[in-house]
Amino acid sequence: DTGVSQDPRHKITKRGQNVTFRCDPISEHNRLYWYRQTLGQGPEFLTYFQNEAQLEKSRLLSDRFSAERPKGSFSTLEIQRTEQGDSAMYLCATPGGAWDEQYFGPGTRLTVT
Amino acid sequence: AQSVAQPEDQVNVAEGNPLTVKCTYSVSGNPYLFWYVQYPNRGLQFLLKYITGDNLVKGSYGFEAEFNKSQTSFHLKKPSALVSDSALYFCAVRGSRSGTYKYIFGTGTRLKVLA
């Protein structure tokens, strides 16, 4: 257990529906990343927060994706009008520790039917 | 543009033998390099990182990695493999320039250690 929690762990939704995921990072970590991982691939960068400021967002993301970190603590990732291609594991990570290593949460597995 | 290549989808090695998992990278400026491991049904775990200094970096579980600037490589090594090392290994890179936040991960290499 890295101390990073994500909710829900699994989400099944129908195409066209909106979904929202939550990440609760380690409390003293002020930086937060979201990634997407599909089968057979490594984590793909989605977005980065420092406190409540979203400092970088992948150009690969369409406008259907949005992320927030309103108080610099937990973060949410919303996907609007889901498509089958959105099916993936969505990971949250917070850097910290002596080596600035990333602590990954367990992920939210999204299945779009 | 930043990129990471892990040329081997799978590496098989006998228990007790040395192992190497290969990684090459491309990044503007000096790189920050990482290795992570993913065990079945578990999250990604940090193994080791290179920032600067000695080219040979030691990390968790007896793993080490060698940074080679001329070959832009950061291969993961272990002198004697254990069956319990069987897992999926990811190399990652981030540029060190100010304002660079994005980490790029490779596609992963599945390590299988045979008893």
Side-chain angles (χ1 to χ4, degrees):
Chain A
D1 184 2
T2 61
V4 179
S5 60
Q6 292 187 245
D7 184 69
R9 296 290 302 276
H10 303 274
K11 178 70 176 180
I12 300 173
T13 191
K14 292 185 177 179
R15 189 175 55 191
Q17 298 295 305
N18 299 343
V19 294
T20 300
F21 310 140
R22 176 177 170 128
C23 171
D24 285 272
I26 298 171
S27 58
E28 60 269 25
H29 291 185
N30 62 357
R31 294 171 290 158
L32 186 146
Y33 287 79
W34 282 100
Y35 294 90
R36 177 174 63 188
Q37 186 177 21
T38 54
L39 200 62
Q41 299 295 319
E44 176 187 16
F45 171 83
L46 293 179
T47 192
Y48 167 72
F49 287 89
Q50 185 163 315
N51 297 311
E52 66 274 11
Q54 187 176 23
L55 298 185
E56 189 165 357
K57 181 177 176 180
S58 170
R59 281 175 281 182
L60 297 174
L61 286 186
S62 70
D63 292 339
R64 296 185 297 108
F65 287 72
S66 63
E68 293 183 341
R69 197 181 183 201
K71 297 182 180 179
S73 56
F74 73 92
S75 177
T76 58
L77 177 68
E78 181 183 16
I79 308 174
Q80 295 181 329
R81 305 181 302 282
T82 52
E83 302 172 356
Q84 286 189 321
D86 297 332
S87 296
M89 178 75 85
Y90 290 84
L91 298 167
C92 172
T94 64
W99 285 22
D100 201 34
E101 64 268 29
Q102 298 218 29
Y103 294 87
F104 281 87
T108 295
R109 182 170 296 282
L110 172 66
T111 301
V112 182
T113 62
Chain B
Q2 301 176 143
S3 66
V4 172
Q6 293 184 243
E8 303 152 317
D9 289 336
Q10 182 160 320
V11 169
N12 295 329
V13 63
E15 187 176 30
N17 283 1
L19 68 88
T20 298
V21 181
K22 295 179 181 178
C23 171
T24 59
Y25 67 91
S26 174
V27 69
S28 299
N30 293 323
Y32 291 159
L33 293 156
F34 305 80
W35 277 101
Y36 287 84
V37 60
Q38 190 169 37
Y39 297 101
N41 300 315
R42 296 184 65 180
L44 281 152
Q45 298 176 37
F46 170 79
L47 274 181
L48 50 77
K49 171 185 178 181
Y50 172 83
I51 305 174
T52 186
D54 287 342
N55 290 340
L56 187 64
V57 178
K58 294 187 183 296
S60 306
Y61 310 120
F63 283 93
E64 57 191 28
E66 186 167 13
F67 170 62
N68 187 315
K69 188 172 183 177
S70 63
Q71 296 185 3
T72 61
S73 67
F74 189 55
H75 299 333
L76 181 69
K77 300 180 179 184
K78 188 173 183 182
S80 179
L82 300 173
V83 172
S84 57
D85 293 330
S86 298
L88 190 55
Y89 290 81
F90 292 97
C91 181
V93 67
R94 176 169 79 86
S96 59
R97 290 183 177 172
S98 177
T100 302
Y101 308 111
K102 184 176 180 179
Y103 288 79
I104 302 295
F105 283 77
T107 53
T109 298
R110 187 166 300 282
L111 173 66
K112 192 168 183 180
V113 181
L114 307 169

